[in-house]
Amino acid sequence: MDLIVQASSGLISVTGVEAVRRALRAFGADVTSGMFALIGILLALESRNRTGMGQFVDVSMLDSMISAMASNFAYFLGSGIVPHPMGTRFATIVPYRGFPTADREIIIAVATRSCGRSSASRWGGPSGRTTRITRRTHCV
């Protein structure tokens, strides 16, 4: 079921790379649903402690995967750009991906301006004040 839910939710359309779309490993929908179930159970227990009443906890694997894709939906709604497989890259954080080196790939993730300023000179990017736009221009 996990693979079917990943496909039905649209997750597979944004994972992997352009030529090879991939499902999450380690049962992504199962694990995500389990986390939501845990949150629901803990809230139900707290509600019972406060009110003495039981609660019904209902968790959908599909709903869990849709929730896990919130950033993809927000990106589409804000930009009009349909998300696509980007490998290790992330559409709104730059640089945030793997870069090939002589012997292996390294991951660089610069999510804030202060990280951008302190790291830009290390890889020949723009110095001084950086924004996601300037980092995107130099690092994508």
Side-chain angles (χ1 to χ4, degrees):
M1 288 299 293
D2 202 278
L3 182 61
I4 293 169
V5 173
Q6 288 186 43
S8 298
S9 70
L11 179 73
I12 292 175
S13 71
V14 296
T15 56
V17 293
E18 200 60 50
V20 181
R21 296 172 196 261
R22 294 198 169 126
L24 293 179
R25 295 184 188 178
F27 308 102
D30 289 334
V31 170
T32 304
S33 299
M35 289 188 301
F36 281 112
L38 173 63
I39 293 167
I41 291 165
L42 291 173
L43 288 170
L45 289 170
E46 181 60 25
S47 177
R48 185 195 63 192
N49 289 339
R50 290 181 184 202
T51 67
M53 305 264 312
Q55 300 290 318
F56 178 77
V57 177
D58 180 29
V59 177
S60 158
M61 288 174 69
L62 181 61
D63 292 348
S64 297
M65 292 312 303
I66 296 291
S67 177
M69 293 182 55
S71 64
N72 290 301
F73 298 137
Y75 179 70
F76 170 72
L77 293 172
S79 69
I81 299 170
V82 176
H84 60 281
M86 298 180 69
T88 57
R89 293 177 294 151
F90 194 78
T92 59
I93 302 174
V94 178
Y96 189 93
R97 68 180 181 100
F99 291 87
T101 68
D103 60 342
R104 64 177 175 226
E105 186 173 69
I106 61 168
I107 301 295
I108 297 175
V110 178
T112 66
R113 283 186 185 162
S114 62
C115 287
R117 281 191 300 270
S118 66
S119 349
S121 63
R122 293 185 181 128
W123 66 75
S127 59
R129 183 183 168 108
T130 65
T131 65
R132 286 189 178 147
I133 300 302
T134 58
R135 290 194 307 266
R136 185 177 186 97
T137 303
H138 287 82
C139 299
V140 171

